[in-house]
Structures are given as C-alpha cells and as structure tokens.
Amino acid sequence: AQRVTQPEKLLSVFKGAPVELKCNYSYSGSPELFWYVQYSRQRLQLLLRHISRESIKGFTADLNKGETSFHLKKPFAQEEDSAMYYCALRAAGNKLTFGGGTRVLVKP
Amino acid sequence: EAGVTQFPSHSVIEKGQTVTLRCDPISGHDNLYWYRRVMGKEIKFLLHFVKESKQDESGMPNNRFLAERTGGTYSTLKVQPAELEDSGVYFCASSQDYRAVNQPQHFGDGTRLSIL
C-alpha cells in the first residue's frame, strides 16, 4: 500500500526567507507525485507535478527515488504563499493518496 | 470553463438522519472522484467513477455510503444513516478522458458535513 508523509504540520518563515516542505512516500512501483495547495477560502488546486519538471510561482520539487522524497522548495517566500500544502501520490489507477498537509505561514 | 461544483457547501444534520451530497464535474470529464477529510486526518480517497461506472470503490468506509453517477454526469453521495464519525469535509474531483494518461484532478470546494 502507498503512503505519503509530511512531517511538518506547520512551517512559519519570514518573507524573503527560503522555505522547504518535506514529503516522503512509500510505494513499491513508479509513482507520480504532486503538490496541491489550498489558499484561504479557495479550493484545493494543483501546484505542480513531478513529470512536468517546471517551476510554478517560484516553487520547485524534485523527485528523489533513492530517498523516496518529493520536497517542495522556494528560495524566497512571499506573504501570498501562506496556505495549506498537500503532497500527493498517484500509483496504479487514478486515485490520489495524500499526506497530512503542511500549513505555511509567511510573516512580513 | 466552470470548475467542479459541489452542493451544499455545508450540511448540519443529526445522527441517524440521511444526507445527500452532490457533485457536478467539469463538463466532459469522464473521471469523477470522491475524497473526504475527517478531523485531524489526511484527505482520503473514497471512490472513482469512469463515466457512470464505479471503477474503484475501495475507499468507501461501509455500506452506509452510497455513490451514484446517473448518466455519467453529476454524482451523488448519500450517507444513510449518518453517524458522528462521518463528520468532515467531502471533496469531489474530476479529470478528463480516462484514456488520456496523466491528467490532473480538479477539485471542488468541498462539502462540510457536521453530524450532531
């Protein structure tokens, strides 16, 4: 069975500081990894996916199969990055397995 | 393009009553998913429709939950009778043609269900 772990429930950083959200997964096959974000009073939305290998809103994430990790990083956090972030895995079939989420608070 | 729409946004009912949640996916999306997040837990998969057929219902907690997707359009999730542990936020998501690989799932706002 697959599992996604986000060890930090809350990350508090100052504006302009780097931020890294950790995500580790367990799955025996080749997973597809995603980061979803939920801003205040908005719906859950896709931030980025590992197969795209792109930077969205300054965020990047690299799939490390050796460490089974998909950490999300941004070099300079902005106040508008304050939100709830979920790491998710899609294994065989289409269903997503989510981590518990990390709340990011960017202080001015 | 209209997004995934869920109704109601919030429902408060008493234990033992029945509640029906509705989800309208993005037009043309074959795949429809239900997820839920109960207090303090992760968002968990409930089931997956491809058009009107149940593709995977491995996440349905018990037989008090019944999901339907008439005609492959909107879907309903009925809880009968509701129990206290059913309280949480129920999310619906949809994605495109099931034959297309790697299509992202688009989520609705969720329905917050409170059982008293």
Side-chain angles (χ1 to χ4, degrees), chain A residues 64-78:
Chain A
N64 186 322
K65 291 186 178 181
E67 295 183 358
T68 59
S69 68
F70 188 58
H71 303 327
L72 182 68
K73 302 176 186 178
K74 184 168 182 176
F76 308 103
Q78 303 300 312

Side-chain angles (χ1 to χ4, degrees), chain A residues 8-101:
Chain A
E8 304 120 339
K9 288 194 183 305
L10 174 66
L11 271 182
S12 182
V13 300
F14 284 102
K15 177 183 173 181
V19 61
E20 180 179 27
L21 289 73
K22 291 186 168 46
C23 171
N24 288 89
Y25 67 90
S26 62
Y27 179 60
S28 56
S30 287
E32 188 178 357
L33 276 296
F34 303 82
W35 276 99
Y36 278 82
V37 60
Q38 188 170 25
Y39 300 103
S40 179
R41 299 188 187 86
Q42 294 187 28
R43 62 185 56 187
L44 202 60
Q45 56 188 280
L46 179 66
L47 180 62
L48 52 79
R49 50 201 298 200
H50 89 270
I51 61 170
S52 300
R53 300 185 65 81
E54 57 189 344
S55 173
I56 304 291
K57 299 184 179 181
F59 285 97
T60 59
D62 291 317
L63 178 62
N64 186 322
K65 291 186 178 181
E67 295 183 358
T68 59
S69 68
F70 188 58
H71 303 327
L72 182 68
K73 302 176 186 178
K74 184 168 182 176
F76 308 103
Q78 303 300 312
E79 289 183 68
E80 56 265 29
D81 297 327
S82 295
M84 194 76 179
Y85 292 79
Y86 295 94
C87 183
L89 176 155
R90 182 163 65 190
N94 277 324
K95 68 181 181 184
L96 294 174
T97 299
F98 286 89

Side-chain angles (χ1 to χ4, degrees), chain B residues 78-108:
Chain B
K78 182 162 73 173
V79 185
Q80 180 182 30
E83 298 290 344
L84 297 178
E85 64 265 25
D86 302 332
S87 295
V89 181
Y90 289 75
F91 295 100
C92 177
S94 71
S95 66
Q96 282 184 311
D97 188 340
Y98 72 97
R99 292 166 295 182
V101 297
N102 299 327
Q103 293 302 307
Q105 295 181 24
H106 300 268
F107 282 77

Side-chain angles (χ1 to χ4, degrees), chain B residues 22-91:
Chain B
R22 173 171 169 143
C23 170
D24 287 78
I26 292 172
S27 178
H29 279 195
D30 290 334
N31 296 287
L32 187 148
Y33 311 83
W34 284 98
Y35 295 86
R36 75 171 179 178
R37 182 179 61 217
V38 296
M39 183 70 74
K41 300 280 186 69
E42 300 91 356
I43 299 171
K44 289 204 168 175
F45 168 81
L46 295 178
L47 89 159
H48 169 207
F49 283 99
V50 175
K51 299 186 180 180
E52 68 276 7
S53 300
K54 292 176 185 174
Q55 181 77 10
D56 180 355
E57 51 184 330
S58 61
M60 294 288 264
N62 52 60
N63 60 11
R64 294 186 294 102
F65 289 75
L66 174 65
E68 294 179 323
R69 190 180 182 194
T70 308
T73 55
Y74 69 91
S75 174
T76 57
L77 180 64
K78 182 162 73 173
V79 185
Q80 180 182 30
E83 298 290 344
L84 297 178
E85 64 265 25
D86 302 332
S87 295
V89 181
Y90 289 75
F91 295 100

